Amino acid sequence: MTSFSDLNLNPKVLKAVTEAGYETPTPIQAGAIPPALEGRDVLGIAQTGTGKTASFTLPMITILARGRARARMPRSLVLCPTRELAAQVAENFDTYAKHVKLTKALLIGGVSFKEQDQLIDKGVDVLIATPGRLLDHFERGKLILTDVKVMVVDEADRMLDMGFIPDIERIFGLVPFTRQTLFFSATMAPEIERITNTFLSNPARIEVARQASASETITQRLLEFRPSRRDRETAAKEKRAMLRAAIEAEGAACTNAIIFSNRKVDVDIVAKSLKKYGYDAEPIHGDLDQSHRTRTLDGFREGKLRFLVASDVAARGLDIPSVSHVFNYDLPSHAEDYVHRIGRTGRAGRSGVAISIAVPADDKYLAAIENLIAKPIPRGDLPWSPTGAIMAEAEGEAKPDAGNERDRERHRGRRGRGKGGRHEADQATTPVAIPAEAPDQPQEAAEQPSRAERMDRGERRGQKPRGDYRSDNHGNHRGEGDRGGRGGERTIGMGDHLPDFIALSFDERRGGPPRASLSDEATDETVEDQTDIAGAEEMKEQAVPTLEAKAEAEAPKPKRRRRKKADMVDDSGENATVTEVAAETEA
Ligand code: AMP
């Protein structure tokens, strides 16, 4: 077996590695470090958790230990898709370069350019940056990239998802042709293949795990359920109740968890809802300011925060060694994200549990995930009965009534014929005593469009709401056909016919100012009611295809805005030290 001392690393780097407690190199380290030290390009196909960060930082420090940086001319460049990942890479440099005199700068948004400029002016050996911020500095004439000897692209597949590939290509054109490139990606999408063919020269290719592999130490479970009603509020409410029940069912074994949601709006709602029910939860996503994100993440890392509710991008690549559970509040629409998400638990040989909630509209995502991981996700017993619990509460009864029984009966024919899944009525339900979020309205009333939906329709009169909420949009409930192609233009509770009066906003009918009353009324409302509003916002947000929305939502703000505001942005100072600066606008 290879040992670190076989790898030709600088003795000071070896010392730091020993102090970090590593005994043997991981496969990506054993595979990537020797060619990197020989000056060869490396193509590492590895996901986070494999030790890939050290596989490029250790040889880089060894290479950079010789020589010094000149003003404004960094000697190496590490490009990361998100600020968290960039900060994590910077921490790795701190750990492994502690016995070597190297300077570094972290160029991520949110911190004043001035402070970052000062660092660059002094000369840095390692520049760790997100692509947009790096180009901003370059365009301001503050950065010269002609002395870059080693360039690292980390998490290239995520760069692709976030729309950074044009920036990456541009940066490749700005660094010397003779540089060495260390390129890492968890998957090799055709676009990534194209980039590597174009910009890497005869790379040593090291693939440590198949893209679909999930650690064997992770116990996966799928909670398949059909919300008792189709309206979005009820479905979302029940999903949140199911999440709480799933958490409760895990008991003390769930020491901490990352809860993933596909949309930022849901990240906020789920976190708020959990907090309302007494759970120690905080959201993290790209719209929160950097100091807030850092605080939340630090709290979670240090065990002060139990539940981190996260979007994919915010949590991407995060290395938090002991996360007992991952919950997928939504199944991800990209199958690879499932592997990434559940990989947040069960790290470094520990055991972990990944529980995913799936509703009928997730069928096609589920199929893609199971196809990718090449096995079915074991179905778990539902810890909570959606129909029974909600209705019982609404009607002040302890048990579901005959109507609910009928309701379930209705679902029996449609649900549960899927691969490996038992239908919910047959599932051994282990109910957990958790409160439903709020007493429900009577059935008919509940199935009317919500106020926010009606207001939104009024505002968007003439357009049918796209309603890209997945269960509506894709509409691929078994037995209902796939309506995804039409954008799921369905009027909840009223069939596809939308009477004209519904399409008028309250304000128009009253002659009042448009939408003002909605926001006023919304101020004091509960999480559920805010869901209405968020739902309406979401419908607007989702007027672009999901992927684009994701990229737009999580990716860099337009450069013009960044540049304009950049000098005014305050440095929170939280992550700033003499040799490092933090923040960015990219993620
Ligand atoms: P990464 O894939 O770079 O996110 O690393 C995942 C985790 O593995 C980090 O917590 C590293 O500190 C840890 N790690 C990296 N290399 C080794 C090693 N050779 N032995 C044990 N742990 C390691």
Side-chain angles (χ1 to χ4, degrees):
M1 192 192 290
T2 316
S3 80
F4 277 109
S5 53
D6 300 330
L7 296 178
N8 262 337
L9 289 164
N10 180 310
K12 291 178 179 167
V13 174
L14 274 181
K15 187 171 177 224
V17 166
T18 308
E19 286 167 3
Y22 305 162
E23 285 163 10
T24 46
T26 63
I28 186 76
Q29 291 162 1
I33 293 173
L37 286 175
E38 285 166 19
R40 283 188 66 187
D41 283 359
V42 169
L43 171 57
I45 304 164
Q47 54 199 46
T48 51
T50 55
K52 73 173 167 57
T53 318
S55 77
F56 62 81
T57 47
L58 301 182
M60 278 176 80
I61 298 164
T62 301
I63 293 165
L64 297 169
R66 309 180 286 266
R68 282 286 152 263
R70 283 181 283 168
R72 291 195 283 154
M73 298 175 82
R75 298 164 66 211
S76 68
L77 184 57
V78 182
L79 297 173
C80 301
T82 68
R83 57 184 95 172
E84 276 80 11
L85 207 54
Q88 207 165 276
V89 169
E91 277 170 27
N92 272 256
F93 271 102
D94 285 342
T95 305
Y96 308 132
K98 65 181 185 187
H99 303 300
V100 180
K101 200 171 176 318
L102 281 187
T103 50
K104 73 171 194 307
L106 184 55
L107 296 193
I108 52 180
V111 169
S112 78
F113 274 74
K114 203 169 152 208
E115 191 164 344
Q116 298 182 336
D117 285 344
Q118 282 168 359
L119 282 173
I120 297 169
D121 279 349
K122 284 188 205 156
V124 289
D125 297 301
V126 185
L127 192 56
I128 305 157
T130 46
R133 187 66 160 201
L134 181 93
L135 287 173
D136 279 347
H137 275 275
F138 181 81
E139 282 163 11
R140 287 157 45 94
K142 299 290 182 184
L143 192 57
I144 300 164
L145 294 172
T146 50
D147 201 29
V148 170
K149 301 195 168 48
V150 186
M151 171 163 152
V152 177
V153 179
D154 195 14
E155 304 262 352
D157 48 344
R158 182 54 53 161
M159 301 266 199
L160 176 66
D161 284 351
M162 295 175 72
F164 283 144
I165 292 299
D167 285 352
I168 298 292
E169 290 191 72
R170 186 160 166 229
I171 295 165
F172 267 122
L174 299 173
V175 295
F177 183 70
T178 50
R179 95 248 138 205
Q180 178 182 8
T181 309
L182 311 176
F183 192 100
F184 292 84
S185 185
T187 58
M188 286 302 286
E191 183 69 352
I192 302 287
E193 195 91 50
R194 182 185 70 75
I195 298 283
T196 57
N197 290 341
T198 311
F199 297 107
L200 271 63
S201 162
N202 185 27
R205 184 182 167 115
I206 299 106
E207 185 163 359
V208 296
R210 283 192 318 117
Q211 62 182 56
S213 59
S215 165
E216 292 302 318
T217 59
I218 303 168
T219 305
Q220 300 175 55
R221 206 174 310 140
L222 186 79
L223 304 179
E224 273 192 307
F225 91 105
R226 171 180 287 275
S228 65
R229 289 197 291 268
R230 279 198 207 158
D231 70 284
R232 298 198 312 175
E233 295 99 291
T234 304
K237 226 184 275 178
E238 291 183 352
K239 227 175 159 188
R240 294 195 292 269
M242 186 63 82
L243 172 68
R244 295 194 300 276
I247 292 170
E248 289 307 313
E250 291 302 296
C254 180
T255 50
N256 62 350
I258 303 180
I259 298 161
F260 283 97
S261 179
N262 292 352
R263 298 173 208 84
K264 286 186 282 191
V265 69
D266 286 337
V267 167
D268 281 331
I269 290 168
V270 170
K272 205 164 181 177
S273 164
L274 284 172
K275 275 201 262 191
K276 185 178 138 186
Y277 283 90
Y279 295 85
D280 180 24
E282 288 294 338
I284 183 167
H285 58 68
D287 282 353
L288 298 169
D289 71 64
Q290 181 57 43
S291 61
H292 187 143
R293 286 164 68 163
T294 307
R295 244 191 343 266
T296 302
L297 212 48
D298 287 349
F300 189 69
R301 275 207 175 98
E302 291 160 15
K304 292 180 194 149
L305 174 69
R306 189 171 168 216
F307 297 105
L308 185 69
V309 188
S311 66
D312 284 295
V313 169
R316 173 74 177 193
L318 294 184
D319 176 37
I320 301 162
S322 33
V323 177
S324 75
H325 284 63
V326 163
F327 291 92
N328 283 318
Y329 173 78
D330 298 308
L331 276 190
S333 49
H334 294 109
E336 293 85 17
D337 282 341
Y338 178 80
V339 179
H340 291 307
R341 286 180 181 187
I342 71 168
R344 306 299 92 217
T345 182
R347 286 168 91 79
R350 292 183 178 86
S351 62
V353 178
I355 298 175
S356 305
I357 299 175
V359 294
D362 291 324
D363 283 357
K364 71 178 175 195
Y365 301 115
L366 179 58
I369 291 165
E370 293 187 326
N371 192 27
L372 180 71
I373 63 173
K375 58 179 180 190
I377 306 172
R379 269 56 173 174
D381 292 341
L382 293 184
W384 180 79
S385 160
T387 311
I390 289 270
M391 294 303 289
E393 179 133 338
E395 293 167 29
E397 292 178 14
K399 286 182 178 172
D401 66 5
N404 295 321
E405 204 36 67
R406 267 199 307 278
D407 208 20
R408 276 206 297 272
E409 195 58 47
R410 247 194 357 249
H411 296 149
R412 273 185 193 131
R414 291 194 287 184
R415 186 83 174 132
R417 293 186 209 106
K419 38 207 172 311
R422 286 172 292 158
H423 66 65
E424 71 189 55
D426 289 343
Q427 281 173 334
T429 303
T430 318
V432 171
I434 52 149
E437 287 207 356
D440 259 7
Q441 303 140 303
Q443 179 93 20
E444 308 83 66
E447 291 201 352
Q448 299 296 320
S450 70
R451 186 181 59 243
E453 280 172 335
R454 288 195 302 266
M455 302 289 266
D456 194 51
R457 281 177 195 153
E459 190 182 72
R460 295 150 51 86
R461 204 175 40 209
Q463 272 178 277
K464 281 194 177 183
R466 292 193 39 129
D468 200 15
Y469 179 74
R470 286 195 333 218
S471 57
D472 292 338
N473 187 33
H474 299 289
N476 58 347
H477 298 207
R478 290 186 185 101
E480 290 179 16
D482 188 349
R483 303 168 60 178
R486 291 200 298 124
E489 293 158 352
R490 187 167 56 203
T491 308
I492 297 161
M494 305 201 78
D496 281 338
H497 170 68
L498 182 66
D500 283 348
F501 75 91
I502 291 286
L504 290 170
S505 80
F506 283 6
D507 302 313
E508 280 172 84
R509 275 179 282 150
R510 288 186 199 137
R515 289 185 69 83
S517 58
L518 172 62
S519 48
D520 291 343
E521 282 171 27
T523 324
D524 295 328
E525 289 182 20
T526 60
V527 168
E528 295 75 45
D529 293 320
Q530 287 168 19
T531 312
D532 284 359
I533 293 154
E537 291 304 328
E538 186 186 304
M539 283 165 80
K540 278 183 264 161
E541 252 181 47
Q542 299 291 333
V544 286
T546 312
L547 191 62
E548 277 173 39
K550 189 175 169 188
E552 188 182 299
E554 306 265 10
K557 307 273 183 289
K559 282 184 186 150
R560 227 177 318 114
R561 270 183 50 209
R562 267 210 312 272
R563 252 177 261 122
K564 234 178 175 178
K565 285 169 83 179
D567 284 328
M568 295 154 52
V569 179
D570 230 19
D571 177 13
S572 69
E574 290 209 4
N575 291 336
T577 67
V578 185
T579 53
E580 66 184 344
V581 189
E584 60 112 56
T585 43
E586 275 75 10

